[in-house]
Amino acid sequence: MTEQNSNDIDALNERHRLRMERKKAIIDAKIAAADKQIGIIIVNTGNGKGKSSSAFGMVIRAMGHGMKVGVVQFIKGAMQTGEELFLGRFPEEVSFHSVGEGYTWETQNRERDIEKAQLAWEQAKRFLADPEIGLVVFDELNIALKYRYLDTDAVISDLLARPSMQHVVITGRGAPPELIAIADTVTEMDVVKHAFKAGISAQAGTEW
Amino acid sequence: MTEQNSNDIDALNERHRLRMERKKAIIDAKIAAADKQIGIIIVNTGNGKGKSSSAFGMVIRAMGHGMKVGVVQFIKGAMQTGEELFLGRFPEEVSFHSVGEGYTWETQNRERDIEKAQLAWEQAKRFLADPEIGLVVFDELNIALKYRYLDTDAVISDLLARPSMQHVVITGRGAPPELIAIADTVTEMDVVKHAFKAGISAQAGTEW
Protein backbone atom coordinates (compact mmCIF):
# COMPACT_ATOMS: atom_id res chain seq x y z
CA MET A 1 0.00 0.00 0.00
CA THR A 2 1.39 3.41 -0.95
CA GLU A 3 1.48 6.21 1.60
CA GLN A 4 -1.20 8.08 -0.44
CA ASN A 5 -3.58 5.08 -0.37
CA SER A 6 -3.06 4.63 3.31
CA ASN A 7 -3.81 8.33 3.92
CA ASP A 8 -7.01 8.03 1.83
CA ILE A 9 -8.23 5.10 3.90
CA ASP A 10 -7.41 6.89 7.14
CA ALA A 11 -9.41 9.90 5.93
CA LEU A 12 -12.36 7.66 4.93
CA ASN A 13 -12.33 5.93 8.32
CA GLU A 14 -12.24 9.27 10.12
CA ARG A 15 -15.12 10.68 8.07
CA HIS A 16 -17.09 7.52 8.89
CA ARG A 17 -16.34 7.94 12.59
CA LEU A 18 -17.49 11.58 12.62
CA ARG A 19 -20.66 10.79 10.66
CA MET A 20 -21.52 7.95 13.06
CA GLU A 21 -20.77 10.13 16.10
CA ARG A 22 -23.33 12.68 14.86
CA LYS A 23 -25.82 9.91 14.04
CA LYS A 24 -25.42 8.45 17.54
CA ALA A 25 -26.21 11.81 19.17
CA ILE A 26 -29.45 12.07 17.17
CA ILE A 27 -30.49 8.49 17.86
CA ASP A 28 -29.62 8.70 21.57
CA ALA A 29 -31.83 11.80 21.88
CA LYS A 30 -34.73 9.96 20.20
CA ILE A 31 -34.26 6.97 22.51
CA ALA A 32 -34.22 9.25 25.56
CA ALA A 33 -37.48 10.87 24.39
CA ALA A 34 -39.20 7.48 23.95
CA ASP A 35 -39.27 6.32 27.56
CA LYS A 36 -42.86 5.10 28.06
CA GLN A 37 -43.28 1.43 29.01
CA ILE A 38 -46.78 0.25 28.22
CA GLY A 39 -48.56 -2.63 26.50
CA ILE A 40 -48.92 -1.91 22.79
CA ILE A 41 -51.14 -3.07 19.93
CA ILE A 42 -49.22 -4.16 16.84
CA VAL A 43 -50.99 -4.77 13.52
CA ASN A 44 -49.35 -6.65 10.62
CA THR A 45 -51.34 -6.22 7.43
CA GLY A 46 -50.85 -6.05 3.64
CA ASN A 47 -50.64 -8.73 0.94
CA GLY A 48 -46.98 -9.66 1.46
CA LYS A 49 -45.35 -12.51 3.34
CA GLY A 50 -44.35 -12.10 6.98
CA LYS A 51 -47.51 -11.07 8.85
CA SER A 52 -47.97 -14.27 10.86
CA SER A 53 -44.31 -15.29 10.92
CA SER A 54 -43.43 -11.90 12.45
CA ALA A 55 -46.06 -12.47 15.16
CA PHE A 56 -44.49 -15.87 15.94
CA GLY A 57 -41.04 -14.29 16.06
CA MET A 58 -42.40 -11.96 18.75
CA VAL A 59 -43.78 -15.02 20.57
CA ILE A 60 -40.28 -16.45 21.03
CA ARG A 61 -38.89 -13.01 21.89
CA ALA A 62 -41.44 -12.77 24.68
CA MET A 63 -40.73 -16.34 25.80
CA GLY A 64 -37.01 -15.54 25.90
CA HIS A 65 -37.82 -12.79 28.41
CA GLY A 66 -39.91 -15.18 30.53
CA MET A 67 -43.31 -13.85 29.46
CA LYS A 68 -46.39 -16.05 29.08
CA VAL A 69 -48.05 -16.00 25.67
CA GLY A 70 -51.57 -16.66 24.36
CA VAL A 71 -52.29 -17.41 20.69
CA VAL A 72 -55.65 -17.61 18.91
CA GLN A 73 -55.63 -18.61 15.25
CA PHE A 74 -58.83 -17.46 13.58
CA ILE A 75 -58.16 -19.53 10.46
CA LYS A 76 -56.73 -23.00 10.51
CA GLY A 77 -55.33 -24.55 7.36
CA ALA A 78 -55.67 -28.21 6.41
CA MET A 79 -52.12 -28.97 7.56
CA GLN A 80 -50.75 -28.49 11.05
CA THR A 81 -48.32 -25.58 10.91
CA GLY A 82 -44.71 -25.73 12.06
CA GLU A 83 -45.35 -23.00 14.63
CA GLU A 84 -48.22 -24.97 16.18
CA LEU A 85 -46.16 -28.19 16.24
CA PHE A 86 -43.20 -26.36 17.77
CA LEU A 87 -45.06 -24.24 20.33
CA GLY A 88 -47.00 -27.33 21.42
CA ARG A 89 -43.81 -28.36 23.23
CA PHE A 90 -44.29 -25.55 25.79
CA PRO A 91 -47.80 -25.88 27.23
CA GLU A 92 -46.75 -24.05 30.41
CA GLU A 93 -45.49 -21.04 28.46
CA VAL A 94 -47.81 -20.78 25.46
CA SER A 95 -51.52 -21.35 25.32
CA PHE A 96 -52.29 -22.08 21.65
CA HIS A 97 -55.86 -22.20 20.31
CA SER A 98 -56.55 -22.85 16.68
CA VAL A 99 -60.27 -22.28 16.45
CA GLY A 100 -61.09 -21.55 12.81
CA GLU A 101 -61.69 -24.29 10.28
CA GLY A 102 -60.04 -23.02 7.12
CA TYR A 103 -60.12 -20.20 4.62
CA THR A 104 -63.55 -18.89 3.64
CA TRP A 105 -63.24 -20.48 0.19
CA GLU A 106 -62.59 -23.87 1.82
CA THR A 107 -65.49 -23.85 4.26
CA GLN A 108 -67.93 -22.09 1.86
CA ASN A 109 -70.24 -21.81 4.84
CA ARG A 110 -70.82 -18.30 6.14
CA GLU A 111 -72.89 -19.25 9.20
CA ARG A 112 -70.38 -21.82 10.37
CA ASP A 113 -67.50 -19.34 9.82
CA ILE A 114 -69.33 -16.77 11.97
CA GLU A 115 -69.94 -19.33 14.72
CA LYS A 116 -66.24 -20.31 14.75
CA ALA A 117 -65.06 -16.67 14.74
CA GLN A 118 -67.28 -15.94 17.72
CA LEU A 119 -65.96 -18.98 19.59
CA ALA A 120 -62.41 -17.80 18.82
CA TRP A 121 -63.21 -14.34 20.18
CA GLU A 122 -64.51 -15.88 23.42
CA GLN A 123 -61.05 -17.45 23.86
CA ALA A 124 -59.41 -14.16 22.88
CA LYS A 125 -61.34 -12.37 25.63
CA ARG A 126 -60.10 -14.86 28.23
CA PHE A 127 -56.51 -13.90 27.29
CA LEU A 128 -57.39 -10.19 27.31
CA ALA A 129 -58.67 -10.56 30.87
CA ASP A 130 -55.52 -12.27 32.18
CA PRO A 131 -52.71 -9.94 33.34
CA GLU A 132 -50.36 -12.96 33.65
CA ILE A 133 -50.22 -13.14 29.85
CA GLY A 134 -47.66 -10.66 28.54
CA LEU A 135 -48.23 -11.14 24.82
CA VAL A 136 -51.27 -12.28 22.88
CA VAL A 137 -51.39 -13.06 19.18
CA PHE A 138 -54.65 -12.95 17.21
CA ASP A 139 -53.59 -14.54 13.96
CA GLU A 140 -55.77 -13.70 10.92
CA LEU A 141 -58.22 -11.73 13.07
CA ASN A 142 -58.31 -9.08 10.33
CA ILE A 143 -59.98 -11.58 7.98
CA ALA A 144 -62.80 -12.19 10.49
CA LEU A 145 -63.26 -8.41 10.80
CA LYS A 146 -63.14 -7.84 7.03
CA TYR A 147 -65.93 -10.39 6.44
CA ARG A 148 -67.86 -8.88 9.40
CA TYR A 149 -67.86 -12.22 11.21
CA LEU A 150 -67.06 -10.16 14.30
CA ASP A 151 -68.12 -6.65 15.18
CA THR A 152 -65.09 -4.36 14.91
CA ASP A 153 -66.35 -1.90 17.57
CA ALA A 154 -66.88 -4.70 20.11
CA VAL A 155 -63.43 -6.17 19.36
CA ILE A 156 -61.78 -2.74 19.80
CA SER A 157 -63.55 -2.13 23.07
CA ASP A 158 -62.33 -5.53 24.42
CA LEU A 159 -58.77 -4.74 23.21
CA LEU A 160 -58.71 -1.36 24.95
CA ALA A 161 -59.95 -2.86 28.24
CA ARG A 162 -56.97 -5.28 28.51
CA PRO A 163 -54.28 -5.15 31.27
CA SER A 164 -52.08 -2.08 30.78
CA MET A 165 -48.79 -3.97 30.25
CA GLN A 166 -50.15 -6.61 27.87
CA HIS A 167 -48.98 -6.53 24.24
CA VAL A 168 -51.25 -7.66 21.39
CA VAL A 169 -50.25 -8.63 17.85
CA ILE A 170 -53.00 -8.84 15.22
CA THR A 171 -52.38 -10.20 11.72
CA GLY A 172 -54.16 -10.55 8.40
CA ARG A 173 -54.83 -8.72 5.15
CA GLY A 174 -57.17 -5.77 5.07
CA ALA A 175 -56.96 -4.48 8.66
CA PRO A 176 -59.98 -2.18 9.15
CA PRO A 177 -59.19 1.57 9.48
CA GLU A 178 -60.81 1.70 12.96
CA LEU A 179 -58.29 -0.91 14.18
CA ILE A 180 -55.35 0.93 12.59
CA ALA A 181 -56.54 4.11 14.33
CA ILE A 182 -56.22 2.58 17.82
CA ALA A 183 -53.04 0.53 17.14
CA ASP A 184 -49.58 1.71 18.27
CA THR A 185 -47.44 0.05 15.59
CA VAL A 186 -48.78 -0.86 12.16
CA THR A 187 -46.75 -2.46 9.39
CA GLU A 188 -47.88 -3.00 5.83
CA MET A 189 -46.15 -6.05 4.36
CA ASP A 190 -45.97 -5.46 0.60
CA VAL A 191 -45.13 -8.07 -2.02
CA VAL A 192 -42.08 -7.17 -4.08
CA LYS A 193 -41.98 -10.71 -5.47
CA HIS A 194 -43.29 -14.11 -4.33
CA ALA A 195 -41.96 -17.60 -5.07
CA PHE A 196 -45.52 -18.94 -5.43
CA LYS A 197 -46.02 -16.85 -8.58
CA ALA A 198 -42.90 -18.46 -10.04
CA GLY A 199 -44.45 -21.92 -9.66
CA ILE A 200 -42.87 -22.80 -6.30
CA SER A 201 -45.27 -24.47 -3.86
CA ALA A 202 -45.96 -23.33 -0.29
CA GLN A 203 -43.29 -25.30 1.55
CA ALA A 204 -42.89 -26.54 5.12
CA GLY A 205 -40.60 -24.32 7.17
CA THR A 206 -41.06 -21.15 5.18
CA GLU A 207 -44.82 -20.88 4.47
CA TRP A 208 -46.41 -23.16 7.12
CA MET B 1 -87.08 -13.22 12.98
CA THR B 2 -89.68 -12.58 10.24
CA GLU B 3 -89.95 -14.91 7.28
CA GLN B 4 -88.64 -12.11 5.00
CA ASN B 5 -85.53 -11.61 7.19
CA SER B 6 -84.88 -15.29 7.27
CA ASN B 7 -85.15 -15.47 3.47
CA ASP B 8 -82.70 -12.55 3.14
CA ILE B 9 -80.14 -14.30 5.30
CA ASP B 10 -80.56 -17.56 3.40
CA ALA B 11 -79.98 -15.67 0.15
CA LEU B 12 -76.87 -13.96 1.62
CA ASN B 13 -75.47 -17.28 2.81
CA GLU B 14 -76.10 -18.87 -0.60
CA ARG B 15 -74.41 -15.98 -2.47
CA HIS B 16 -71.44 -16.32 -0.10
CA ARG B 17 -71.27 -20.07 -0.81
CA LEU B 18 -71.30 -19.57 -4.60
CA ARG B 19 -68.67 -16.80 -4.45
CA MET B 20 -66.39 -18.98 -2.30
CA GLU B 21 -66.93 -21.99 -4.58
CA ARG B 22 -65.69 -19.92 -7.55
CA LYS B 23 -62.79 -18.54 -5.48
CA LYS B 24 -61.77 -22.05 -4.45
CA ALA B 25 -61.64 -23.22 -8.09
CA ILE B 26 -59.30 -20.33 -8.96
CA ILE B 27 -57.07 -20.85 -5.91
CA ASP B 28 -56.92 -24.63 -6.37
CA ALA B 29 -55.76 -24.12 -9.97
CA LYS B 30 -53.01 -21.75 -8.81
CA ILE B 31 -51.90 -24.23 -6.11
CA ALA B 32 -51.80 -27.04 -8.68
CA ALA B 33 -49.63 -24.87 -10.96
CA ALA B 34 -47.16 -24.09 -8.14
CA ASP B 35 -45.76 -27.57 -7.55
CA LYS B 36 -41.97 -27.02 -7.45
CA GLN B 37 -40.22 -27.95 -4.20
CA ILE B 38 -36.88 -26.18 -3.94
CA GLY B 39 -34.85 -24.13 -1.48
CA ILE B 40 -35.78 -20.46 -1.77
CA ILE B 41 -34.19 -17.13 -0.89
CA ILE B 42 -36.46 -14.82 1.10
CA VAL B 43 -35.57 -11.14 1.63
CA ASN B 44 -37.30 -8.97 4.26
CA THR B 45 -36.49 -5.31 3.72
CA GLY B 46 -38.02 -1.82 4.20
CA ASN B 47 -38.17 0.56 7.15
CA GLY B 48 -41.06 -1.08 9.00
CA LYS B 49 -41.18 -3.50 11.90
CA GLY B 50 -41.21 -7.26 11.31
CA LYS B 51 -38.12 -8.04 9.21
CA SER B 52 -36.18 -9.95 11.87
CA SER B 53 -39.21 -11.16 13.83
CA SER B 54 -40.60 -12.72 10.64
CA ALA B 55 -37.29 -14.54 10.10
CA PHE B 56 -37.47 -15.91 13.67
CA GLY B 57 -41.07 -16.97 13.09
CA MET B 58 -39.78 -19.04 10.16
CA VAL B 59 -37.11 -20.50 12.45
CA ILE B 60 -39.74 -22.06 14.71
CA ARG B 61 -41.80 -23.14 11.70
CA ALA B 62 -38.79 -25.02 10.39
CA MET B 63 -38.05 -26.46 13.85
CA GLY B 64 -41.67 -27.62 14.08
CA HIS B 65 -41.06 -29.65 10.92
CA GLY B 66 -37.85 -31.16 12.35
CA MET B 67 -35.44 -29.06 10.28
CA LYS B 68 -32.08 -27.87 11.58
CA VAL B 69 -31.50 -24.12 11.52
CA GLY B 70 -28.46 -21.83 11.35
CA VAL B 71 -28.58 -18.16 12.36
CA VAL B 72 -25.95 -15.46 11.86
CA GLN B 73 -26.68 -12.02 13.30
CA PHE B 74 -24.57 -9.39 11.55
CA ILE B 75 -25.42 -6.72 14.11
CA LYS B 76 -25.66 -7.35 17.80
CA GLY B 77 -27.33 -4.86 20.10
CA ALA B 78 -26.17 -4.01 23.61
CA MET B 79 -28.86 -6.20 25.15
CA GLN B 80 -29.30 -9.91 24.61
CA THR B 81 -32.43 -10.39 22.54
CA GLY B 82 -35.36 -12.58 23.52
CA GLU B 83 -34.89 -14.71 20.40
CA GLU B 84 -31.25 -15.42 21.28
CA LEU B 85 -32.14 -16.24 24.89
CA PHE B 86 -34.96 -18.51 23.77
CA LEU B 87 -33.21 -20.30 20.90
CA GLY B 88 -30.21 -20.90 23.15
CA ARG B 89 -32.31 -23.62 24.79
CA PHE B 90 -32.02 -25.79 21.65
CA PRO B 91 -28.31 -26.10 20.79
CA GLU B 92 -28.94 -29.38 18.92
CA GLU B 93 -31.54 -27.79 16.66
CA VAL B 94 -30.33 -24.21 16.18
CA SER B 95 -26.80 -22.98 15.70
CA PHE B 96 -26.91 -19.29 16.68
CA HIS B 97 -23.98 -16.93 15.97
CA SER B 98 -24.15 -13.30 16.91
CA VAL B 99 -21.01 -11.92 15.36
CA GLY B 100 -21.49 -8.17 14.92
CA GLU B 101 -20.81 -5.69 17.68
CA GLY B 102 -23.58 -3.14 17.36
CA TYR B 103 -25.02 -0.59 14.99
CA THR B 104 -22.57 1.44 12.94
CA TRP B 105 -23.31 4.55 15.01
CA GLU B 106 -22.44 2.65 18.20
CA THR B 107 -19.12 1.20 17.06
CA GLN B 108 -18.07 4.31 15.06
CA ASN B 109 -15.23 2.17 13.75
CA ARG B 110 -15.39 1.26 10.08
CA GLU B 111 -12.38 -1.06 10.00
CA ARG B 112 -13.58 -3.08 12.98
CA ASP B 113 -17.10 -3.29 11.48
CA ILE B 114 -15.62 -4.66 8.24
CA GLU B 115 -13.54 -7.23 10.12
CA LYS B 116 -16.62 -8.42 12.08
CA ALA B 117 -18.77 -8.58 8.94
CA GLN B 118 -16.16 -10.71 7.22
CA LEU B 119 -15.93 -13.04 10.23
CA ALA B 120 -19.73 -13.33 10.19
CA TRP B 121 -19.67 -14.22 6.49
CA GLU B 122 -17.14 -16.99 7.17
CA GLN B 123 -19.69 -18.54 9.55
CA ALA B 124 -22.46 -17.94 7.00
CA LYS B 125 -20.47 -19.89 4.41
CA ARG B 126 -20.17 -22.86 6.78
CA PHE B 127 -23.99 -23.00 6.98
CA LEU B 128 -24.31 -22.57 3.20
CA ALA B 129 -22.03 -25.61 2.72
CA ASP B 130 -24.04 -27.88 5.05
CA PRO B 131 -26.99 -29.74 3.47
CA GLU B 132 -28.13 -30.88 6.94
CA ILE B 133 -29.24 -27.32 7.64
CA GLY B 134 -32.69 -26.74 6.15
CA LEU B 135 -33.05 -23.04 6.96
CA VAL B 136 -30.45 -20.33 7.45
CA VAL B 137 -31.13 -16.79 8.67
CA PHE B 138 -28.75 -13.92 7.92
CA ASP B 139 -30.13 -11.23 10.18
CA GLU B 140 -29.23 -7.63 9.17
CA LEU B 141 -27.00 -8.85 6.34
CA ASN B 142 -28.45 -6.08 4.14
CA ILE B 143 -26.81 -3.46 6.38
CA ALA B 144 -23.38 -5.03 5.85
CA LEU B 145 -24.00 -4.99 2.08
CA LYS B 146 -25.31 -1.41 2.09
CA TYR B 147 -22.16 -0.14 3.84
CA ARG B 148 -20.04 -2.28 1.47
CA TYR B 149 -18.56 -4.17 4.41
CA LEU B 150 -19.05 -7.27 2.24
CA ASP B 151 -18.89 -7.63 -1.52
CA THR B 152 -22.45 -8.19 -2.83
CA ASP B 153 -21.30 -10.23 -5.86
CA ALA B 154 -19.28 -12.61 -3.70
CA VAL B 155 -22.18 -13.00 -1.24
CA ILE B 156 -24.61 -13.77 -4.10
CA SER B 157 -22.30 -16.33 -5.61
CA ASP B 158 -22.01 -18.12 -2.22
CA LEU B 159 -25.81 -18.02 -1.83
CA LEU B 160 -26.41 -19.54 -5.26
CA ALA B 161 -23.93 -22.37 -4.61
CA ARG B 162 -25.84 -23.64 -1.52
CA PRO B 163 -27.56 -27.06 -1.26
CA SER B 164 -30.64 -27.11 -3.52
CA MET B 165 -33.22 -27.72 -0.75
CA GLN B 166 -31.82 -25.15 1.70
CA HIS B 167 -33.93 -22.05 2.44
CA VAL B 168 -32.30 -18.70 3.26
CA VAL B 169 -33.89 -15.67 4.93
CA ILE B 170 -32.03 -12.34 4.72
CA THR B 171 -33.17 -9.27 6.66
CA GLY B 172 -32.33 -5.58 6.93
CA ARG B 173 -33.16 -2.20 5.44
CA GLY B 174 -31.94 -1.27 2.00
CA ALA B 175 -31.55 -4.70 0.34
CA PRO B 176 -29.36 -4.15 -2.74
CA PRO B 177 -31.12 -4.56 -6.13
CA GLU B 178 -28.72 -7.35 -7.17
CA LEU B 179 -29.90 -9.40 -4.15
CA ILE B 180 -33.57 -8.68 -4.88
CA ALA B 181 -32.98 -9.85 -8.45
CA ILE B 182 -31.84 -13.33 -7.39
CA ALA B 183 -34.31 -13.74 -4.47
CA ASP B 184 -37.50 -15.80 -4.78
CA THR B 185 -39.70 -13.98 -2.26
CA VAL B 186 -39.15 -10.33 -1.32
CA THR B 187 -41.27 -8.39 1.14
CA GLU B 188 -41.05 -4.69 1.83
CA MET B 189 -42.12 -3.95 5.40
CA ASP B 190 -43.50 -0.39 5.38
CA VAL B 191 -44.20 1.74 8.44
CA VAL B 192 -47.82 2.82 8.70
CA LYS B 193 -47.23 3.95 12.30
CA HIS B 194 -44.70 3.12 15.00
CA ALA B 195 -45.06 3.24 18.80
CA PHE B 196 -41.50 4.62 19.14
CA LYS B 197 -42.55 7.87 17.43
CA ALA B 198 -45.32 8.23 20.01
CA GLY B 199 -42.76 8.19 22.84
CA ILE B 200 -43.00 4.47 23.66
CA SER B 201 -39.63 2.80 24.26
CA ALA B 202 -38.37 -0.35 22.52
CA GLN B 203 -39.70 -3.00 24.89
CA ALA B 204 -38.70 -6.58 25.69
CA GLY B 205 -40.87 -9.12 23.93
CA THR B 206 -41.97 -6.93 21.05
CA GLU B 207 -38.82 -5.12 19.85
CA TRP B 208 -35.95 -7.26 21.24
Side-chain angles (χ1 to χ4, degrees):
Chain A
M1 196 184 284
T2 66
E3 199 179 322
Q4 182 56 43
N5 275 347
S6 162
N7 287 346
D8 287 352
I9 288 173
D10 287 350
L12 173 66
N13 287 340
E14 180 58 12
R15 275 200 308 277
H16 175 92
R17 194 189 64 72
L18 287 170
R19 208 164 48 236
M20 291 305 138
E21 199 175 73
R22 282 195 300 270
K23 189 164 180 173
K24 179 172 163 57
I26 294 165
I27 287 171
D28 284 352
K30 284 186 184 168
I31 290 172
D35 60 351
K36 265 189 277 177
Q37 298 272 343
I38 193 162
I40 60 172
I41 296 176
I42 295 170
V43 174
N44 296 339
T45 193
N47 295 333
K49 182 172 167 51
K51 299 182 289 293
S52 297
S53 54
S54 168
F56 288 106
M58 280 182 263
V59 167
I60 67 164
R61 255 179 207 167
M63 290 168 77
H65 292 294
M67 291 156 72
K68 279 193 197 281
V69 178
V71 178
V72 181
Q73 285 196 306
F74 285 77
I75 289 180
K76 187 185 165 67
M79 293 169 291
Q80 208 176 17
T81 58
E83 56 268 30
E84 186 175 1
L85 287 165
F86 180 78
L87 294 173
R89 294 197 214 165
F90 315 97
E92 302 297 314
E93 295 169 70
V94 187
S95 176
F96 198 110
H97 295 256
S98 198
V99 184
E101 282 189 302
Y103 284 97
T104 47
W105 58 87
E106 292 293 346
T107 62
Q108 300 176 17
N109 185 329
R110 184 175 161 274
E111 292 203 316
R112 190 140 173 84
D113 285 352
I114 291 175
E115 198 182 292
K116 286 286 168 182
Q118 284 170 349
L119 263 179
W121 192 250
E122 289 308 310
Q123 179 54 53
K125 282 200 282 191
R126 283 191 282 274
F127 289 144
L128 292 173
D130 184 353
E132 297 290 300
I133 295 181
L135 176 74
V136 295
V137 173
F138 298 143
D139 189 41
E140 304 285 12
L141 171 60
N142 290 336
I143 307 290
L145 297 174
K146 195 170 89 172
Y147 278 95
R148 301 179 186 280
Y149 292 168
L150 295 170
D151 178 62
T152 300
D153 290 343
V155 163
I156 286 175
S157 121
D158 292 334
L159 288 171
L160 295 178
R162 75 192 190 284
S164 68
M165 290 309 297
Q166 190 180 67
H167 302 297
V168 182
V169 188
I170 295 166
T171 78
R173 296 179 180 211
E178 305 91 306
L179 180 65
I180 290 175
I182 62 124
D184 300 285
T185 293
V186 180
T187 308
E188 169 103 13
M189 275 75 172
D190 285 327
V191 188
V192 178
K193 61 206 285 199
H194 202 298
F196 186 69
K197 294 230 165 133
I200 298 172
S201 93
Q203 297 178 95
T206 55
E207 304 293 325
W208 56 280
Chain B
M1 193 184 284
T2 66
E3 200 180 323
Q4 182 55 43
N5 275 347
S6 163
N7 285 346
D8 286 353
I9 288 173
D10 287 349
L12 174 66
N13 287 339
E14 179 59 12
R15 276 198 308 276
H16 175 91
R17 196 189 62 73
L18 287 170
R19 208 163 51 235
M20 292 305 139
E21 198 176 73
R22 284 194 299 270
K23 190 163 179 174
K24 179 169 164 59
I26 295 165
I27 289 172
D28 283 352
K30 284 187 186 168
I31 291 172
D35 60 351
K36 264 189 278 178
Q37 297 274 342
I38 193 162
I40 60 172
I41 297 176
I42 295 170
V43 174
N44 296 340
T45 192
N47 296 333
K49 178 170 171 52
K51 299 182 288 295
S52 297
S53 54
S54 168
F56 288 106
M58 280 182 262
V59 167
I60 66 164
R61 253 177 209 170
M63 290 168 78
H65 292 295
M67 292 156 73
K68 278 192 197 282
V69 178
V71 178
V72 181
Q73 284 196 304
F74 285 77
I75 288 180
K76 188 186 165 66
M79 293 169 292
Q80 207 176 17
T81 58
E83 56 267 29
E84 186 175 3
L85 288 165
F86 180 78
L87 294 173
R89 294 196 212 166
F90 315 96
E92 303 297 314
E93 296 169 69
V94 187
S95 177
F96 198 111
H97 294 256
S98 199
V99 183
E101 281 189 303
Y103 284 97
T104 48
W105 57 88
E106 291 293 345
T107 62
Q108 300 176 18
N109 185 327
R110 184 175 160 275
E111 291 202 318
R112 191 140 173 84
D113 286 352
I114 292 174
E115 199 183 291
K116 287 286 169 181
Q118 284 169 350
L119 263 179
W121 193 250
E122 290 307 311
Q123 178 55 52
K125 282 200 282 190
R126 285 191 281 275
F127 289 144
L128 292 173
D130 184 352
E132 297 290 301
I133 294 179
L135 176 74
V136 295
V137 173
F138 298 144
D139 189 41
E140 303 286 10
L141 171 60
N142 290 335
I143 308 290
L145 297 174
K146 196 170 89 170
Y147 278 95
R148 300 180 187 280
Y149 292 169
L150 295 171
D151 178 62
T152 300
D153 290 342
V155 162
I156 285 174
S157 118
D158 292 334
L159 287 171
L160 295 178
R162 76 192 190 285
S164 67
M165 289 310 297
Q166 191 180 67
H167 302 297
V168 183
V169 188
I170 296 167
T171 78
R173 295 178 181 214
E178 306 92 305
L179 180 65
I180 289 174
I182 61 126
D184 300 285
T185 293
V186 180
T187 308
E188 169 102 13
M189 274 76 172
D190 285 327
V191 189
V192 178
K193 62 206 283 198
H194 202 298
F196 186 69
K197 295 231 164 132
I200 298 171
S201 95
Q203 298 177 94
T206 55
E207 304 294 323
W208 57 278

